[in-house]
Amino acid sequence: MSREILAPPLQRLDNNRCYRINLIHEDFGNQLAAMQRQRQPESKKSENTYTEQDLYNEDDDDEQEEGADFILEELPNSYYKLTLHVAQSFYGGLIGFKGTTKRRIESETQTDIYVPRSRDGGGGQKKAEDVSIKGKTRSSVMAARRKINLLLVSLRKRMRPTHFTCVALNYGEVKEKYSDFKAQILALNLPGIDENLFQADECIHLTLCVCVLLDEAERAKAVEVLQSCKAFLADLHTPFQVQVRGLEIMNDDPSAVRVLYACIEAPELQKFANSAMQPFLRSGLGVDDHERDAVKLHMTVMNNRYRKQIDDKAAGAFDAREILKRFGDYDFGKVECSEVHLCALHSSEKGAFYKVTGSLKF
């Protein structure tokens, strides 16, 4: 019978307390950690610390492939050091109240984490530093990185999106018919309906994914992710044929609507959109509160938020019953799509589309 069962290693604490150290089956990757504990001097064993078991260290090699967002190096003193970029806006969340979050991650993974001080705005001459993680083992450093990434994903979800990937529809037949649609509705003089509710003619589009990009490095990474989506076009017919027809609302009450949108028929674009959403989510830059498997393709026509931005005292919704009754099957026409843009939200100026950060052309 195994000696670990007949005479298990013990950990002695103060007040005459003595605990048996349970060895975890090697399938869970913790056997080495158990052997290291046995070899530790008694003074080290008595420390009241806890190292969280990392059940995912078999994924570490996959994370070292080309395009990884970190640098891992082995130092001369047999320590490992990992550096990764973290936007300055996340420093406070990573450190936590009086450093509690940072200390918790360090304690759970037995690592030391360095978070740069926030830059004081001294002319932007000093190069931004990266967050670094130092530990005795590669697995502990990678475990700390995963915890930091999960924390950043959680923090990012609480922020307002800054960018979005989209297909512009502000040209050709769709733009012409959209202008006619808006003119016909305004000519009816319906109660509570005014021009401020409508999307600008130059800005009509369909959104594929929204992102939170907080600095230049994150914007550059998002453009790289967008370019990588070119691989999804191999088995699709391009340019995409996009049919815009019919109206729907985002809620269930047509008498109190916040968003009225036009429906999109584009099977090939739908396949691309579903695939292209995943790299942005995996990168941590994209956000999806609904955790959908498929992108809902639509072209926003009227949004009460547009009116509230101009007049914060405006009503919180509008009555769309007459619009749906008269224009529910309105045909906005067809266009061909040959590029996808990464744009900054709320960046449109009068007579112009949103500011484009990067594009994927095909």
Side-chain angles (χ1 to χ4, degrees):
M1 186 175 291
S2 172
R3 179 169 177 78
E4 284 79 8
I5 297 177
L6 296 176
L10 303 177
Q11 180 170 335
R12 300 182 183 279
L13 304 177
D14 54 359
N15 298 327
N16 294 322
R17 290 181 296 168
C18 181
Y19 294 90
R20 179 181 65 194
I21 299 175
N22 291 322
L23 297 181
I24 308 300
H25 192 277
E26 62 183 359
D27 287 347
F28 288 92
N30 211 36
Q31 189 74 16
L32 178 60
M35 295 172 64
Q36 290 174 340
R37 286 198 298 268
Q38 293 183 51
R39 293 197 296 267
Q40 285 182 346
E42 198 66 25
S43 60
K44 290 290 185 180
K45 290 183 181 180
S46 62
E47 294 180 0
N48 188 19
T49 58
Y50 163 68
T51 302
E52 181 167 305
Q53 181 183 350
D54 182 13
L55 302 182
Y56 301 95
N57 57 7
E58 68 272 10
D59 295 335
D60 290 350
D61 291 334
D62 295 337
E63 295 174 346
Q64 282 294 298
E65 63 188 11
E66 185 178 355
D69 60 350
F70 62 90
I71 299 174
L72 179 64
E73 56 182 324
E74 186 173 1
L75 303 178
N77 58 1
S78 299
Y79 274 70
Y80 288 84
K81 181 181 179 181
L82 183 149
T83 57
L84 72 160
H85 174 77
V86 175
Q88 184 178 336
S89 300
F90 290 125
Y91 287 176
L94 177 55
I95 294 172
F97 180 67
K98 294 185 177 181
T100 53
T101 302
K102 175 175 169 289
R103 287 197 299 270
R104 174 180 59 79
I105 298 175
E106 289 175 326
S107 175
E108 291 176 350
T109 59
Q110 291 297 283
T111 58
D112 293 318
I113 300 173
Y114 167 73
V115 180
R117 291 186 177 182
S118 298
R119 297 186 295 281
D120 57 6
Q125 298 297 322
K126 185 178 179 181
K127 183 179 179 181
E129 297 180 81
D130 288 329
V131 170
S132 64
I133 308 167
K134 186 186 294 184
K136 292 183 178 180
T137 65
R138 183 178 186 276
S139 60
S140 64
V141 169
M142 297 301 293
R145 172 186 172 268
R146 277 189 288 274
K147 287 181 178 292
I148 290 175
N149 281 348
L150 289 173
L151 174 62
L152 297 182
V153 169
S154 175
L155 294 173
R156 201 180 295 271
K157 285 184 177 180
R158 303 176 193 175
M159 299 179 174
R160 292 184 177 180
T162 61
H163 291 70
F164 63 105
T165 58
C166 70
V167 171
L169 300 174
N170 59 344
Y171 56 94
E173 185 180 23
V174 171
K175 182 179 180 181
E176 293 177 4
K177 291 193 173 183
Y178 173 75
S179 297
D180 291 341
F181 167 81
K182 182 166 64 173
Q184 291 182 55
I185 291 179
L186 293 175
L188 295 174
N189 293 319
L190 298 174
I193 303 299
D194 59 70
E195 189 171 3
N196 293 331
L197 285 169
F198 289 85
Q199 175 71 278
D201 295 22
E202 299 80 10
C203 294
I204 51 177
H205 66 277
L206 62 88
T207 299
L208 305 184
C209 178
V210 294
C211 304
V212 177
L213 309 177
L214 301 176
D215 60 18
E216 186 60 35
E218 290 193 345
R219 289 188 285 272
K221 182 180 177 182
V223 173
E224 290 180 6
V225 174
L226 178 60
Q227 294 297 329
S228 72
C229 293
K230 190 171 185 177
F232 302 130
L233 298 170
D235 299 324
L236 301 177
H237 298 290
T238 57
F240 298 135
Q241 304 298 315
V242 181
Q243 170 76 58
V244 187
R245 178 168 49 205
L247 296 174
E248 289 189 9
I249 58 177
M250 287 292 186
N251 59 306
D252 298 328
D253 185 0
S255 66
V257 175
R258 292 178 179 171
V259 178
L260 177 75
Y261 65 90
C263 303
I264 303 294
E265 299 174 18
E268 295 292 277
L269 175 57
Q270 183 71 66
K271 294 175 185 177
F272 173 81
N274 295 344
S275 299
M277 175 179 63
Q278 299 307 319
F280 280 96
L281 297 180
R282 288 196 298 268
S283 71
L285 302 176
V287 292
D288 181 17
D289 294 335
H290 304 289
E291 297 183 353
R292 298 164 295 185
D293 294 328
V295 176
K296 183 176 180 58
L297 299 180
H298 65 282
M299 183 184 80
T300 297
V301 174
M302 302 171 68
N303 190 330
N304 198 70
R305 179 171 54 83
Y306 302 151
R307 181 165 62 182
K308 295 288 284 186
Q309 290 173 345
I310 299 174
D311 180 10
D312 59 359
K313 296 181 180 180
F318 60 93
D319 189 342
R321 287 176 294 183
E322 191 64 25
I323 296 174
L324 291 171
K325 179 181 178 181
R326 296 184 181 223
F327 303 95
D329 296 325
Y330 189 85
D331 188 352
F332 291 89
K334 295 181 180 180
V335 293
E336 287 189 347
C337 162
S338 58
E339 56 186 346
V340 176
H341 303 295
L342 174 67
C343 299
L345 278 167
H346 314 305
S347 63
S348 60
E349 299 179 356
K350 189 173 182 179
F353 193 62
Y354 298 91
K355 293 181 179 179
V356 176
T357 304
S359 300
L360 170 63
K361 299 182 180 182
F362 45 87

